[in-house]
Amino acid sequence: MLVLQKRLDLNERCKKGCLHIVLSFPAEDKLTQAELKKISQTYMDHIGLADQPFLVYQHLDTLHPHLHLVTVTVKADGSGNSVFHSRQAAVKDVIKQIEKDYRLTPSRGRMMPAGKLESAQKLQYGKIPATLAISQVLSVVLPNFKYSSLLELNAVLRHYNLVAKTGKPGSKIRFYQGLTYQMLADDGRKIGTSVKASRLSGKPTLRYLHERFKANKLAVLPGQQRIKTLIDLALIAPDTRSLAALGQRLSQQGVKAVYALEATGKLCEVIFVDFRTRSVFSASQLGGRYTPSKLLEHLAESEKSLESAPGIYQNPLLKPSSGMAALQAEPAISSEKQASAPLPDESLLKLLLDPVPQADSLPRELKRRLHKKRKQISLQL
């Protein structure tokens, strides 16, 4: 690395002086380290960089044994080397010659069949060949899910750690309407190399996707009412106070919410993927009530209403009402008056037989009414 760094320091004007090359081999080709060294040296000779210092690393972290070649394009006198860039068209001929000399499996036209699968699993880098793994996922997703745009398709593919790319603006792949697929890590990072759609089984190119977009625009209409109902029920739930809570409640019904963010971090779209009906809906296409701005506005209002709600949900039994207090105080007052009032002139027998009123007792009628009123309050709760 120190040698490569010193070579780069000879030409400070060179902005792209480092070159990274990957040579991948089929798993059935059993090659020794000596053969791999010869192949890497032969490759560098044919592209005109044989005199440049380069490092070769062998990686075995995937099912495809491959080499990483790292070199610089700055010559020993400090001048730039444009031989490689002027002979890119000859690289394919170099690969053919190396495959012929070392009896390797030809890479041109090599395609692995995806096979017919009813379901797909999340992709894991290095477990199975990338081309085969991507083809298997696409063979399940593309013909069975109802999506009407590339954004909606990527919302489904993200569940399987996969993404479809049309290239950056101004790139050749965007100009020629090309399409590539690339695996993703669990955290969303792109991993591995991109695979052209033309190399995959079934040719899932952009032209094929456009035909699917047109057919799915009508096929997805019957499932819109179901997704709207689920969203409405999730929004009126008291614990739905954020987008994360909304997505968690929808996931209980087999719906996954995928949030599309701009480069500034602003929410621009919400995609709802219904795995039970295999339908995909953009929030903006469901109606004005379900646009991202309206959803955020509704969640903000719900949070404010919940903050001011504790006084409404107080238990009325914790504090007796004024009517109840008056009802309990009135008998005590009346009984005191009865005890202090002078007794009329009656016979001794009637005085002994009549019950004596007590200050701490209540008439039976009042007790019955109190019991019914408490029962009514408890039923209201």
Side-chain angles (χ1 to χ4, degrees):
M1 292 298 296
L2 184 60
V3 173
L4 299 181
Q5 185 62 47
K6 287 184 177 181
R7 182 64 67 90
L8 286 175
D9 294 340
L10 297 177
N11 191 339
E12 297 180 355
R13 296 176 299 175
C14 184
K15 296 181 179 179
K16 296 182 180 180
C18 184
L19 185 63
H20 176 215
I21 303 170
V22 179
L23 300 180
S24 182
F25 306 92
E28 56 268 20
D29 291 343
K30 306 299 181 180
L31 300 172
T32 63
Q33 289 191 356
E35 291 175 335
L36 293 175
K37 290 180 181 179
K38 291 181 180 180
I39 291 174
S40 60
Q41 185 65 56
T42 303
Y43 184 86
M44 297 294 287
D45 292 342
H46 282 77
I47 65 176
L49 296 177
D51 296 333
Q52 296 296 107
F54 65 95
L55 297 174
V56 183
Y57 294 91
Q58 181 185 11
H59 279 191
L60 300 174
D61 55 341
T62 63
L63 293 180
H64 282 281
H66 56 277
L67 299 178
H68 291 265
L69 280 66
V70 183
T71 185
V72 291
T73 59
V74 180
K75 296 182 180 180
D77 57 358
S79 60
N81 192 334
S82 59
V83 176
F84 175 77
H85 302 284
S86 63
R87 297 186 60 187
Q88 288 186 2
V91 173
K92 295 182 179 179
D93 297 333
V94 173
I95 294 175
K96 290 182 181 179
Q97 187 63 35
I98 293 177
E99 290 174 349
K100 182 179 179 180
D101 294 342
Y102 292 91
R103 298 180 180 180
L104 303 177
T105 303
S107 58
R108 184 175 180 82
R110 184 174 59 202
M111 186 180 301
M112 296 185 179
K116 295 183 179 180
L117 301 176
E118 296 182 356
S119 62
Q121 302 295 330
K122 280 191 175 183
L123 298 180
Q124 295 183 358
Y125 182 74
K127 296 297 182 180
I128 60 177
T131 304
L132 177 60
I134 294 174
S135 298
Q136 289 179 347
V137 171
L138 295 179
S139 66
V140 175
V141 173
L142 296 184
N144 297 319
F145 280 82
K146 305 178 187 67
Y147 47 88
S148 57
S149 66
L150 188 63
L151 183 63
E152 294 179 1
L153 173 60
N154 278 328
V156 183
L157 295 179
R158 178 66 183 86
H159 179 73
Y160 300 100
N161 289 345
L162 187 63
V163 64
K165 303 182 300 180
T166 57
K168 298 180 180 179
S171 61
K172 289 185 178 180
I173 186 172
R174 177 70 68 87
F175 179 78
Y176 291 104
Q177 296 185 353
L179 186 68
T180 60
Y181 296 90
Q182 189 172 4
M183 296 176 62
L184 300 175
D186 292 336
D187 56 359
R189 293 181 297 104
K190 297 176 182 178
I191 188 171
T193 57
S194 301
V195 181
K196 293 183 179 180
S198 57
R199 290 187 55 192
L200 297 172
S201 176
K203 305 290 184 179
T205 59
L206 196 59
R207 180 179 299 179
Y208 167 81
L209 292 182
H210 284 314
E211 296 178 357
R212 294 290 303 170
F213 295 160
K214 295 179 181 179
N216 291 333
K217 284 184 178 180
L218 297 178
V220 78
L221 294 179
Q224 282 190 357
Q225 188 57 46
R226 162 181 156 81
I227 198 68
K228 288 181 180 180
T229 303
L230 293 178
I231 295 174
D232 292 339
L233 293 176
L235 290 176
I236 64 176
D239 57 343
T240 305
R241 306 175 64 179
S242 63
L243 289 175
L246 174 63
Q248 186 177 3
R249 181 165 287 274
L250 290 176
S251 64
Q252 299 175 0
Q253 303 297 329
V255 178
K256 181 178 181 181
V258 182
Y259 308 105
L261 304 177
E262 297 179 353
T264 58
K266 182 181 178 181
L267 180 67
C268 61
E269 188 59 277
V270 182
I271 310 297
F272 300 99
V273 183
D274 191 350
F275 284 94
R276 294 185 180 178
T277 62
R278 293 190 172 183
S279 303
V280 189
F281 307 91
S282 298
S284 57
Q285 296 179 356
L286 294 176
R289 295 172 50 196
Y290 306 97
T291 59
S293 58
K294 290 295 183 180
L295 289 177
L296 292 175
E297 182 180 352
H298 178 84
L299 293 173
E301 292 178 357
S302 299
E303 186 173 0
K304 290 181 180 179
S305 62
L306 286 175
E307 290 177 355
S308 59
I312 302 176
Y313 298 105
Q314 287 181 354
N315 192 339
L317 290 182
L318 296 179
K319 295 181 179 180
S321 61
S322 58
M324 181 77 70
L327 189 61
Q328 293 176 354
E330 184 178 357
I333 297 175
S334 61
S335 61
E336 289 179 359
K337 291 181 179 180
Q338 284 184 353
S340 59
L343 294 175
D345 188 12
E346 297 178 350
S347 63
L348 183 59
L349 180 61
K350 185 178 181 181
L351 181 62
L352 295 175
L353 295 177
D354 287 342
V356 179
Q358 298 180 3
D360 56 347
S361 64
L362 292 176
R364 185 176 181 182
E365 292 78 5
L366 292 180
K367 288 184 178 180
R368 184 177 300 174
R369 274 190 286 175
L370 285 175
H371 180 68
K372 286 186 177 180
K373 195 166 186 179
R374 288 176 182 172
K375 185 177 182 180
Q376 185 177 3
I377 293 174
S378 62
L379 287 176
Q380 290 178 356
L381 291 177

